Amino acid sequence: MATIYEVSKLAGVSLATVSRVINNNTPVREATRIKVLEAMDKLGYHPNSVAQSLASSRSNSIGIVVSELNGPFFGTLLSDIETAFRKAGKHVIIAAGHSDEKLEKESISFLQSRNCDALILHVEAVSDDYLTELADKDVPFVLLNRFVPSLYQRCITLNNQHGGYLATQHLLQLGHTNIGYISGPMWKHDAEQRYNGHLRALAEFAINSSQSVFYEGDYHEKGGADGMTQLLNTDPQITAVVCANDEMAAGAMTAARELGRSLPEQLSVVGFDNVNFSHYMCPKLTTVDYPIGGMGQMASRWVLKNVYQQKLGDIQNVFEPRLIQRDSAAAAK
Amino acid sequence: MATIYEVSKLAGVSLATVSRVINNNTPVREATRIKVLEAMDKLGYHPNSVAQSLASSRSNSIGIVVSELNGPFFGTLLSDIETAFRKAGKHVIIAAGHSDEKLEKESISFLQSRNCDALILHVEAVSDDYLTELADKDVPFVLLNRFVPSLYQRCITLNNQHGGYLATQHLLQLGHTNIGYISGPMWKHDAEQRYNGHLRALAEFAINSSQSVFYEGDYHEKGGADGMTQLLNTDPQITAVVCANDEMAAGAMTAARELGRSLPEQLSVVGFDNVNFSHYMCPKLTTVDYPIGGMGQMASRWVLKNVYQQKLGDIQNVFEPRLIQRDSAAAAK
DNA sequence: TAATATTATGTAAGCGCTTTCATGTATAGC
DNA sequence: GCTATACATGAAAGCGCTTACATAATATTA
């Protein structure tokens, strides 16, 4: 691989000048620039990004921590983030945190040691305090789907509460009054907030929430199935169930069918997230859309703007969910 | 951030010695090692990986090109690759090629300029010649799901032909004789091979393939839906359809139902890939398992073994698919 | 045309590490 | 006790760039 030195020799200029045309940050006379470009071309020269990083102490890499790499949710996120940075000539280093405190911390320090210029974090298990401390360190980061009051400018969140509200409101408007709820793990902020939204909708329709059956699931298919089984055992009169994410909705619907309920005639189900397979399910899942792609783009913009000084539009910190009506929720009989 | 220099001063040894304890590649007296480790600890020192890369001309990063970041298929792949490398202290840089020749090439040169030690490529659009030339360059790479004869040691492939065979054989064994086929884009090697397997099964059961209706789809849901519609129009007598991937199967099943077919009673469907949502579909999809995770691990092993000289087991170049029987394929009436 | 302001280019000192080669120090052999 | 050998450590030269700072070339003004 040719080095900048060889280019400078071939072009008959100094290293510095070559560097200038590479970085395009200092004026270079047009004739000189052309000479250099031609030399680079002739040698098939590409700058060594490692050397660039060391010299400039910018690595042009952004570290991303997500909970899982598989699964429908993060794929969309990563895809949009990668596209955004790729355009800007940055690259993305990915680590999975698996919703585990130790692994999340490891991922973060791993990415730090990789000299990332910034991090985009979708972390669930580390504490607010840990994040606040991290903010005092040198590496800038944005938080996705997590609100830490002291770090509010760097939080890109969904109004989960409103999402939970929309799901339940929809069922209530369809005439359901006996609505079960399958939650995510309550230690996760979004799970708690979605549930709060559910309660708010119930209250608004003057339904006593103590009548409403509740199950704390795990955000996975199995939890949804278990939850549905338990809910229907506890209260066979239930006519609708809100699931705090689509995966659980999938499990719940399967379980309900196995228990002899026809969907959506005897039982309506609403999910949350609008993952890409939610319309493969049958009945096609009515769910709350989580604009994760847009939020990923916004996180990218935050980084481009605050770390790389690009002039870009304002940052939208809070995104609003919206209800996607499909076929899994029907009017109460 | 503390540097190796500060550590060496605090420990009262030279830079070289600190480097030795970091890399653990040259004997260092135990007492010295401990002094150094304590100094590192006290300073909260982490080696600067960029500087390490520059000095050693190894970046400890592996570039991955996949077609898409979203979608169920690549998530599984990336997840297993990331896990494997993370354990080895390497990191993964990801780029999407979008099945487009230009973008695939761009992705590859992008990763090259990032000084990746190796690449794992799932590329579809670039030519065999391009890959053969690339192999003469300096960066080592493995190919996933692609067989290039001259590069056979670095190809990790699925026996797609056999997979196609299994899908059709299953339907034939269930008594179907009028079987439609919805293919992927025939310019993609795997699509072609899956179809060849289909033909082989047909031949084995003495079915004239010219009777068998065929549609060339796009590996996406829409293509599956269009394909099913066209197939049923062309030949309403069809009792079974093989789809060359699960996404098309999803579209096809929806379309079939909209055309009034009950599944699987009036129409059996078999997919290919066994993506994670295939059992969310209803009826749950009978499909051919693509062990993409295992193949990703094998690709990782190839890199660890051939690039980082780790002593690991043999490389398995060809993986075998297997049929996953669920509910979408039933006996012919 | 000389003096001054502007702009373009070159010089050289790092960035934080690895690694070769040289040197020093302990151990063994006689 | 002296040399031969092994082993542990240090000195210093890069890895390929960026970026002050210094200098040279050019444009501007009087």
Side-chain angles (χ1 to χ4, degrees):
Chain A
M1 198 65 170
T3 70
I4 197 175
Y5 176 71
E6 297 165 42
V7 175
S8 77
K9 258 192 18 195
L10 182 58
V13 299
S14 73
L15 293 190
T17 303
V18 178
S19 175
R20 287 178 187 117
V21 353
I22 293 170
N23 293 293
N24 202 30
N25 50 7
T26 307
V28 170
R29 203 195 316 158
E30 196 52 26
T32 315
R33 172 191 311 283
I34 288 170
K35 267 194 309 189
V36 171
L37 290 174
E38 280 173 356
M40 289 181 9
D41 199 47
K42 192 171 294 174
L43 293 169
Y45 169 79
H46 284 285
N48 178 324
S49 65
V50 173
Q52 288 181 310
S53 298
L54 183 60
S56 65
S57 62
R58 255 183 293 96
S59 64
N60 288 311
S61 67
I62 294 94
I64 319 282
V65 178
V66 294
S67 298
E68 306 294 340
L69 250 22
N70 49 12
F73 188 78
F74 293 108
T76 311
L77 174 65
L78 293 176
S79 181
D80 281 24
I81 292 179
E82 196 260 349
T83 306
F85 285 126
R86 183 69 169 286
K87 273 187 206 143
K90 317 293 176 198
H91 75 265
V92 155
I93 301 180
I94 291 177
H98 298 287
S99 305
D100 175 272
E101 184 173 4
K102 184 152 164 284
L103 289 175
E104 287 182 352
K105 286 184 179 174
E106 269 177 30
S107 297
I108 291 171
S109 73
F110 178 78
L111 293 172
Q112 274 184 290
S113 80
R114 247 61 194 176
N115 294 72
C116 293
D117 295 336
L119 304 181
I120 295 179
L121 304 179
H122 185 293
V123 288
E124 308 182 291
V126 295
S127 68
D128 281 12
D129 285 349
Y130 171 82
L131 291 168
T132 309
E133 272 177 42
L134 186 65
D136 292 336
K137 304 260 175 67
D138 34 6
V139 52
F141 62 87
V142 216
L143 253 21
L144 268 176
N145 194 37
R146 168 103 181 220
F147 184 72
V148 178
S150 58
L151 266 30
Y152 69 95
Q153 318 96 323
R154 3 174 138 193
C155 296
I156 313 282
T157 56
L158 181 74
N159 189 340
N160 277 295
Q161 220 249 23
H162 189 58
Y165 172 82
L166 286 177
T168 301
Q169 181 201 37
H170 179 59
L171 291 170
L172 289 163
Q173 286 173 343
L174 285 170
H176 296 276
T177 51
N178 201 341
I179 303 173
Y181 191 89
I182 301 179
S183 170
M186 288 298 270
W187 63 267
K188 296 195 181 185
H189 298 59
D190 53 3
E192 188 194 347
Q193 285 163 24
R194 290 173 190 189
Y195 183 58
N196 287 341
H198 166 70
L199 293 181
R200 182 158 66 88
L202 249 32
E204 203 167 271
F205 280 70
I207 306 242
N208 186 338
S209 63
S210 66
Q211 292 175 291
S212 166
V213 288
F214 172 88
Y215 177 88
E216 181 173 342
D218 57 0
Y219 273 152
H220 295 303
E221 192 186 3
K222 178 76 165 46
D226 293 348
M228 181 59 89
T229 308
Q230 176 153 339
L231 255 42
L232 290 176
N233 277 340
T234 310
D235 183 355
Q237 308 302 324
I238 288 175
T239 63
V241 172
V242 174
C243 298
N245 80 348
D246 291 350
E247 259 179 89
M248 292 200 299
M253 297 202 327
T254 306
R257 227 184 322 254
E258 279 166 8
L259 290 168
R261 301 299 200 281
S262 73
L263 307 176
E265 296 77 15
Q266 295 174 13
L267 188 71
S268 288
V269 173
V270 177
F272 200 120
D273 281 352
N274 190 28
V275 298
N276 54 12
F277 63 74
S278 59
H279 70 284
Y280 292 152
M281 292 159 54
C282 53
K284 290 181 180 175
L285 190 66
T286 289
T287 188
V288 174
D289 183 54
Y290 190 139
I292 183 64
M295 289 171 62
Q297 287 172 26
M298 195 51 71
S300 311
R301 178 188 289 185
W302 190 97
V303 171
L304 258 13
K305 197 173 163 157
N306 291 292
V307 179
Y308 296 113
Q309 273 60 268
Q310 292 195 6
K311 295 190 197 357
L312 294 167
D314 287 342
I315 299 301
Q316 176 183 353
N317 286 287
V318 181
F319 281 68
E320 290 299 328
R322 65 185 217 289
L323 187 77
I324 306 288
Q325 293 190 37
R326 286 197 278 250
D327 309 329
S328 67
K333 301 273 157 60
Chain B
M1 198 63 173
T3 71
I4 197 174
Y5 176 71
E6 298 165 41
V7 175
S8 79
K9 259 194 13 199
L10 182 59
V13 299
S14 73
L15 293 190
T17 302
V18 178
S19 174
R20 287 180 186 115
V21 354
I22 292 171
N23 294 293
N24 202 30
N25 51 8
T26 307
V28 170
R29 204 194 317 158
E30 196 52 27
T32 316
R33 172 190 310 283
I34 289 170
K35 267 194 310 190
V36 171
L37 289 175
E38 282 174 355
M40 289 182 8
D41 200 48
K42 191 171 295 173
L43 293 170
Y45 170 78
H46 284 285
N48 178 324
S49 65
V50 173
Q52 288 182 310
S53 298
L54 183 60
S56 65
S57 63
R58 255 183 293 97
S59 66
N60 288 311
S61 67
I62 294 93
I64 319 282
V65 178
V66 294
S67 298
E68 304 294 340
L69 251 22
N70 48 11
F73 188 78
F74 293 109
T76 311
L77 175 65
L78 293 176
S79 180
D80 281 27
I81 292 180
E82 195 259 351
T83 306
F85 285 125
R86 184 71 170 284
K87 274 187 205 145
K90 318 292 177 198
H91 75 264
V92 156
I93 301 179
I94 292 178
H98 299 287
S99 305
D100 175 273
E101 183 172 6
K102 185 152 163 285
L103 289 175
E104 287 182 352
K105 286 184 178 174
E106 270 177 30
S107 296
I108 291 171
S109 74
F110 177 78
L111 293 172
Q112 275 184 289
S113 80
R114 248 60 194 176
N115 293 74
C116 292
D117 295 335
L119 304 180
I120 296 179
L121 305 179
H122 185 293
V123 287
E124 309 182 290
V126 295
S127 69
D128 282 13
D129 286 349
Y130 171 82
L131 291 168
T132 308
E133 271 177 42
L134 186 64
D136 293 335
K137 305 259 175 68
D138 35 7
V139 52
F141 63 87
V142 217
L143 253 21
L144 268 176
N145 193 39
R146 169 101 181 224
F147 184 73
V148 178
S150 58
L151 268 28
Y152 68 96
Q153 318 97 322
R154 5 176 138 189
C155 297
I156 313 281
T157 56
L158 180 75
N159 189 339
N160 278 295
Q161 220 250 23
H162 189 59
Y165 173 82
L166 286 176
T168 302
Q169 181 200 36
H170 179 59
L171 291 170
L172 290 162
Q173 287 172 342
L174 286 170
H176 296 277
T177 52
N178 202 342
I179 303 174
Y181 191 89
I182 301 179
S183 169
M186 289 297 271
W187 64 266
K188 296 195 179 185
H189 297 61
D190 54 3
E192 188 193 348
Q193 285 163 23
R194 290 173 190 189
Y195 183 59
N196 287 342
H198 166 71
L199 293 181
R200 182 159 65 88
L202 250 30
E204 203 168 89
F205 279 71
I207 306 241
N208 186 338
S209 64
S210 65
Q211 292 176 289
S212 165
V213 287
F214 171 88
Y215 178 88
E216 181 173 343
D218 56 2
Y219 273 153
H220 296 301
E221 192 186 2
K222 178 76 166 43
D226 293 348
M228 181 60 89
T229 308
Q230 177 152 340
L231 255 41
L232 290 176
N233 277 341
T234 310
D235 182 356
Q237 308 301 324
I238 289 176
T239 63
V241 171
V242 174
C243 297
N245 79 349
D246 290 351
E247 258 179 89
M248 291 200 299
M253 296 201 325
T254 306
R257 227 184 323 256
E258 279 165 7
L259 290 167
R261 301 301 198 283
S262 72
L263 307 175
E265 295 77 14
Q266 296 175 11
L267 189 69
S268 289
V269 173
V270 177
F272 202 118
D273 282 351
N274 190 28
V275 298
N276 54 13
F277 64 73
S278 58
H279 70 284
Y280 293 153
M281 292 158 55
C282 52
K284 291 182 177 172
L285 190 66
T286 289
T287 188
V288 175
D289 183 56
Y290 191 138
I292 183 64
M295 289 170 63
Q297 288 171 26
M298 194 54 68
S300 310
R301 177 188 290 185
W302 190 97
V303 172
L304 258 12
K305 197 173 163 158
N306 292 292
V307 178
Y308 296 112
Q309 273 60 266
Q310 292 194 6
K311 297 190 193 358
L312 294 167
D314 287 343
I315 299 301
Q316 178 184 350
N317 286 288
V318 182
F319 280 68
E320 290 299 327
R322 65 184 217 288
L323 188 77
I324 305 288
Q325 292 191 35
R326 286 197 278 252
D327 309 329
S328 67
K333 299 274 157 58

